[in-house]
């Protein structure tokens, strides 16, 4: 008989509490009309995660459709090129169907939508990666799919708009505001308020109002569960550190969550420093933001003195977001999460180092995690007996045009 993947095996733990708070963060800052829908979603989720039939169906799709478990690859030549003495291991989410970790989340949410009897799924997308992952699972399960996307992004991310169309989804361009992700999110929420009886809202990161940060974390935690099992087999113990890039925070919390109670495992989140942390053009909400409310929950946020949300900047579209999920904000304040940052230029260098040393073209988001490895504390980086797992969140095909343009003649 087929093995069932270790889904939802860890207890949810202390956080979020009954009100969806992770310490000072999270919660529900949404129109009153959505509270019953969020309550429904939460109870449907609790029932689904406890139901063996849901777990088995998700497990089968994650294995036979998406390609789990993903490999854990040793990267000795990368370590040498970067001057890292610790053993480096890459968790290969880049090898998942559609090329990134996002499918772990959309598969679980689409199965949940179907369980809840909703035949229409909506999503917002910035770079288009979450839109493609949502369109993919809607095609697979025969669900109607509408994706909201800022006009600016529709133009910048034309290949993903085409992909969504080919997968049978309808892309609705959003003209409002700065015509990017946060406007698309507002539009998706408006749609949900109007059509809440028939419609499931599929959020793409461990952000948004409760229960989304919990739900997305649980669906992405398969990454950390596999890392734990693979390290137990390979090393006979847990890794010494796990490193992941942080946009909204879903691949990071997915890789970290299993290890949060084990204080011996250090957790490093890498934010986009863009043109530099002091340039004002970056996506480093944990490093340089202040707590505020965006997209229905309280978390670290890039904002002006008087609380206006600031546009983020990063060469990687997936890290170009002014907020971050509430759980990472909490872990940062609790000093459980250590926050690093890599600039656009450093990420490009990381991309190239990985390509030339290991034969892997990674996503620019993931290249930030690679670029941060030389910045790890010396006691981790220089310890020959230490093992560091880097979550390689996605593959680089989507970024080739950007990378070639940025590298220019340096290529
Ligand atoms: C979307 C994306 C990210 C950022 O999203 P998180 O929710 O922070 O994980 C990172 N890497 C890749 C490859 C992505 O597509």
């Amino acid at each position: 008989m087929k093995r069932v993947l270790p889904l939802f095996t860890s207890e949810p733990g202390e956080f979020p509490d009954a009100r969806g708070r992770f310490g000072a963060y999270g919660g529900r800052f949404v129109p009153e009309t959505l509270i019953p829908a969020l309550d429904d979603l939460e109870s449907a989720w609790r029932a689904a995660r406890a139901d063996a039939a849901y777990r088995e169906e998700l497990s089968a799709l994650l294995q036979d459709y998406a390609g789990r478990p993903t490999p854990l690859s040793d990267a000795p030549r990368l370590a040498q090129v970067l001057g890292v003495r610790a053993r480096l291991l890459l968790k290969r989410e880049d090898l998942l169907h559609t090329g990134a970790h996002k499918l772990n989340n959309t598969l679980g949410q689409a199965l949940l939508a179907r369980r809840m009897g909703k035949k229409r799924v909506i999503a917002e997308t910035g770079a288009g990666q979450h839109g493609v992952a949502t369109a993919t699972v809607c095609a697979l399960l025969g669900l109607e799919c509408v994706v909201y996307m800022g006009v600016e992004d529709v133009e910048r991310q034309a290949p993903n708009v085409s992909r969504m169309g080919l997968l049978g989804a309808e892309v609705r361009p959003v003209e409002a505001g700065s015509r990017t992700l946060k406007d698309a999110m507002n539009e998706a929420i408006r749609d949900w308020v109007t059509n809440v009886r028939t419609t499931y809202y599929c959020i793409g990161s461990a952000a948004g109002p409760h229960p989304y940060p919990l739900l997305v974390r649980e669906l992405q935690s398969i990454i950390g569960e596999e890392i734990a099992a693979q390290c137990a087999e390979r090393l006979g113990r847990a890794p010494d550190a796990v490193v992941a890039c942080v946009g909204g925070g879903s691949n990071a919390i997915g890789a970290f969550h299993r290890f949060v109670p084990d204080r011996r495992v250090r957790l490093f989140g890498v934010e986009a420093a863009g043109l530099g942390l002091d340039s004002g053009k970056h996506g480093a909400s944990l490093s340089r933001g202040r707590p505020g409310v965006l997209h229905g929950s309280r978390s670290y946020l890039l904002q002006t003195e008087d609380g206006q949300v600031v546009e983020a900047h990063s060469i990687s579209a997936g890290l170009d977001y002014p907020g971050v999920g509430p759980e990472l904000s909490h872990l940062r304040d609790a000093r459980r999460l250590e926050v690093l940052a890599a600039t656009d230029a450093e990420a490009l260098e990381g991309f190239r180092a990985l390509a030339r040393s290991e034969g892997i073209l990674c996503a620019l988001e993931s290249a930030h995690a690679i670029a941060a490895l030389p910045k790890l504390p010396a006691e981790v980086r220089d310890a020959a007996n230490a093992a560091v797992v880097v979550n390689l969140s996605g593959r680089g095909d989507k970024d080739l045009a950007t990378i070639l343009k940025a590298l220019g003649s340096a290529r």
Side-chain angles (χ1 to χ4, degrees):
M1 219 191 73
K2 194 151 187 98
R3 208 167 58 88
V4 177
L5 295 173
L7 291 165
F8 327 130
T9 46
S10 306
E11 281 309 305
E14 192 184 344
F15 297 109
D17 66 17
R19 291 152 64 222
R21 301 286 177 121
F22 300 85
Y25 304 104
R28 283 179 178 171
F29 296 83
V30 294
E32 200 62 41
T33 44
L34 285 182
I35 299 293
L38 291 167
D39 283 340
D40 277 356
L41 177 62
E42 185 178 355
S43 50
W45 170 245
R46 289 193 190 280
R49 90 187 280 289
D51 181 351
Y54 175 82
R55 268 203 313 273
E56 279 161 24
E57 187 171 14
L58 179 55
S59 173
L61 286 174
L62 285 170
Q63 292 177 81
D64 304 335
Y65 182 73
R68 302 214 72 89
T70 57
L72 187 69
S73 306
D74 252 299
R77 282 174 39 82
L78 177 68
Q80 192 177 29
V81 167
L82 297 179
V84 171
R85 290 193 69 208
R87 179 171 176 181
L88 289 183
L89 296 148
L90 306 174
K91 181 57 175 165
R92 302 292 305 279
E93 294 300 294
D94 61 312
L95 294 176
L96 209 64
H97 179 45
T98 71
H101 67 289
K102 288 196 167 68
L103 202 68
N104 298 322
N105 173 41
T106 56
L107 267 177
Q109 289 204 53
L111 285 180
L112 183 61
R114 200 179 62 183
R115 254 180 92 97
M116 294 175 76
K118 317 253 177 179
K119 297 195 165 39
R120 180 173 180 267
V121 173
I122 58 170
E124 80 293 324
T125 197
Q129 296 300 110
H130 173 58
V132 170
T134 306
T136 300
V137 297
C138 286
L140 178 71
L141 299 182
L143 300 166
E144 182 189 343
C145 181
V146 174
V147 179
Y148 289 92
M149 192 170 186
V151 169
E152 195 75 30
D153 291 328
V154 169
E155 283 161 17
R156 284 191 292 199
Q157 312 289 342
N160 277 339
V161 176
S162 306
R163 285 186 186 102
M164 287 184 265
L166 291 169
L167 290 162
E170 179 196 341
V171 178
R172 292 199 186 155
V174 177
E175 289 280 0
S178 58
R179 311 153 107 214
T180 58
L181 177 61
K182 76 183 157 51
D183 313 292
M185 243 173 156
N186 291 336
E187 233 12 77
I189 290 176
R190 200 161 303 155
D191 181 318
W192 203 34
V193 170
T194 316
N195 303 301
V196 67
R197 242 176 14 86
T198 57
T199 298
Y200 183 95
Y201 180 21
C202 182
I203 289 190
S205 193
H210 177 66
Y212 285 103
L214 166 66
L215 167 54
V216 178
R217 173 190 89 197
E218 292 217 286
L219 291 169
Q220 292 293 0
S221 288
I222 186 68
I223 301 172
E225 294 293 337
E226 287 178 8
I227 292 173
Q230 288 164 323
C231 284
E233 197 183 298
R234 200 85 62 86
L235 314 168
R237 61 184 175 89
D240 297 280
V242 183
V243 183
C245 65
V246 176
S250 70
N251 89 88
I253 196 67
F256 296 161
H257 191 255
R258 157 73 194 235
F259 301 107
V260 168
D262 184 352
R263 291 246 160 207
R264 288 167 306 182
V265 183
R266 291 175 71 170
L267 307 174
F268 295 92
V270 186
E271 295 191 302
L275 303 181
L277 286 181
D278 296 324
S279 68
K281 289 193 168 300
H282 57 73
S285 29
L286 290 169
S287 303
R288 290 301 170 94
R290 283 181 296 121
V293 171
L294 180 69
H295 301 148
S297 78
R298 186 167 186 277
S299 202
Y300 275 93
L301 184 60
L302 297 178
Q303 51 187 313
T304 59
E305 284 293 317
D306 49 1
Q308 294 293 320
V309 177
V310 175
E311 289 281 299
H313 165 84
S314 169
I315 191 170
S316 92
L319 305 186
D320 192 353
Y321 176 62
V324 63
E327 188 160 15
L328 291 183
S329 289
H330 171 65
L331 292 173
R332 171 206 185 275
D333 282 8
R335 297 174 178 239
R336 182 68 187 90
L337 173 70
E338 300 175 65
V339 182
L340 303 172
T343 63
D344 290 354
E346 289 167 338
L348 284 164
E349 274 312 308
F351 170 87
R352 193 151 57 169
L354 181 65
R356 302 250 169 126
S357 63
E358 300 289 346
I360 298 169
L361 301 176
C362 72
L364 278 175
E365 291 85 358
S366 324
H368 285 72
I370 302 291
L373 296 173
K375 306 182 187 190
L376 289 174
E379 65 272 20
V380 178
R381 185 192 59 217
D382 298 339
N385 58 355
V388 175
V389 174
V390 184
N391 194 31
L392 211 64
S393 56
R395 66 171 185 236
D397 307 43
K398 67 184 178 62
D399 295 324
L400 281 192
T402 308
I403 291 163
L404 291 175
K405 192 167 158 212
L407 289 178
S409 55
R411 205 167 53 214

